[in-house]
Structures are given as structure tokens and as C-alpha cells.
């Protein structure tokens, strides 16, 4: 499939395994240079090599997206390596089991930092580069739980609803 993004540069968070890895490989198959980030350095390096094996340039940037300084570093390193950041895929996150009575404030804080604040910060850092270039795409990963929540995944699905709403708000704010 030709998505018309050959030669673009992307940053994918949570890219060492699962959906993030699959997204990075798909972008590479479209001719996109890919910056991948994740906490697990060993898995990240393995995935970077798999992306490079497609014939596309890739870099790995080990980072914990919950660090408030990470977003600036990730975007800066992506632009430094590829000259731009055209596509941002916010995929970092995980599911946290538990309903209201089984989850703690710490659980909520950790998940909100990973899934929501990291997304906001990374968008905030990437958007000025996209605006300057006159082109950009942002994909914020969520889940069907944002619309159809499971009471045993209260935090994850509550944050998915927030991600869905914020993504629409960002689009309305920035698309023009």
C-alpha cells in the first residue's frame, strides 16, 4: 500500500514491542525514517535493527516518557537525525487491571503520566516543527475501551476516553 509518506520522518513511542513495533515496521515499509523509543533498551535495539533491515533509516532513543523532559529530547533527537518530524505516533502505555476499589492514587498517577501527560508533552514539542514544515500527522493510540469501558480496566479505559477527546480537541485547534 502506498500511503504517500515516503521520505517522511516519524517518532513512535512505546515502539519496542506489540503495536508500537508493528507501526514502526509498517512506517518503514512505506519509506519513512523512524525514531523509536521505549524503556527496555535491549528490545528497543532489536526492534531498531529489524526496522533497518527493511532498508529504511532508524534510530533508537531509550527513554521513559513519564519523565517531563523526555518529550523535548525525543523530538530534538528525531529532528537531529532526520531533519524533521512529520509523523508522531503516541503509543506508550499499558493496561492496568482493577476497578475503582482496587486501584490506588499511585496507580492513577502512574498511568496518567504514561498515557496522557506523555502524549500531551510530545504533541506540544512536535507540533511547532510540523507547523513550520506545513505538514504533519499525529496518531494517538487509544482503545475501544474509551467508548465501551470494561469495569476491570477502569484506569486504562478512562484514560482512553480522555485521549480520544483530547485528540479531537487537538485536531480542531491545530488542523487549520
Amino acid at each position: 500500500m502506498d500511503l504517500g509518506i515516503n521520505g517522511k520522518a516519524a517518532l513512535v513511542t512505546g515502539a519496542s514491542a506489540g503495536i508500537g513495533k508493528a507501526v514502526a515496521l509498517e512506517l518503514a515499509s512505506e519509506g519513512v525514517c523512524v525514531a523509536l523509543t521505549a524503556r527496555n533498551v535491549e528490545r528497543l535495539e532489536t526492534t531498531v535493527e529489524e526496522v533497518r533491515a527493511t532498508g529504511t533509516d532508524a534510530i533508537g532513543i531509550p527513554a521513559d516518557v513519564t519523565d517531563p523532559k523526555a518529550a523535548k529530547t525525543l523530538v530534538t533527537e528525531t529532528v537531529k537525525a532526520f531533519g524533521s518530524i512529520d509523523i508522531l505516533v503516541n503509543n506508550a502505555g499499558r493496561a492496568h487491571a482493577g476497578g475503582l476499589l482496587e486501584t490506588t492514587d499511585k496507580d492513577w498517577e502512574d498511568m496518567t503520566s504514561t498515557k496522557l501527560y506523555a502524549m500531551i508533552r510530545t504533541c506540544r514539542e512536535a507540533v511547532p516543527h510540523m507547523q513550520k514544515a506545513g505538514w504533519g500527522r499525529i496518531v494517538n493510540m487509544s482503545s475501544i475501551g474509551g467508548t465501551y469501558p470494561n469495569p476491570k480496566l477502569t484506569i486504562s479505559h478512562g484514560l482512553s476516553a480522555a485521549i480520544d477527546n483530547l485528540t479531537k480537541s487537538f485536531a480542531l485547534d491545530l488542523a487549520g
Side-chain angles (χ1 to χ4, degrees):
M1 174 179 355
D2 181 5
L3 298 176
I5 55 177
N6 184 46
K8 300 291 186 186
L11 168 62
V12 181
T13 69
S16 66
I19 293 171
K21 178 179 178 175
V23 167
L25 288 165
E26 186 61 32
L27 288 168
S29 77
E30 291 287 330
V32 175
C33 298
V34 186
L36 300 89
T37 189
R39 291 174 297 164
N40 185 308
V41 176
E42 186 176 307
R43 281 195 335 219
L44 178 62
E45 289 173 356
T46 299
T47 302
V48 168
E49 290 307 316
E50 289 179 49
V51 171
R52 287 180 179 152
T54 69
T56 302
D57 196 9
I59 62 168
I61 311 167
D64 180 346
V65 296
T66 65
D67 178 346
K69 297 175 188 167
K72 184 172 186 65
T73 300
L74 295 171
V75 171
T76 299
E77 291 299 313
T78 300
V79 172
K80 184 173 147 185
F82 306 128
S84 66
I85 179 168
D86 306 300
I87 302 165
L88 170 61
V89 180
N90 284 303
N91 177 66
R94 58 183 169 77
H96 187 286
L100 176 65
L101 299 179
E102 295 88 26
T103 56
T104 66
D105 284 357
K106 179 80 168 109
D107 296 332
W108 281 90
E109 290 167 7
D110 290 348
M111 288 293 291
T112 301
S113 185
T114 301
K115 292 182 78 131
L116 200 59
Y117 287 135
M119 177 198 78
I120 293 166
R121 290 180 188 121
T122 310
C123 287
R124 191 181 293 138
E125 291 294 329
V127 164
H129 294 277
M130 294 174 177
Q131 288 175 321
K132 184 178 177 185
W135 196 96
R137 302 293 183 265
I138 298 173
V139 178
N140 295 321
M141 295 296 198
S142 175
S143 79
I144 192 70
T147 304
Y148 302 103
N150 176 331
K152 296 302 175 193
L153 292 169
T154 300
I155 299 173
S156 299
H157 291 173
L159 292 173
S160 290
I163 290 167
D164 294 348
N165 191 292
L166 281 172
T167 300
K168 290 175 187 174
S169 294
F170 292 170
L172 292 170
D173 179 30
L174 301 168

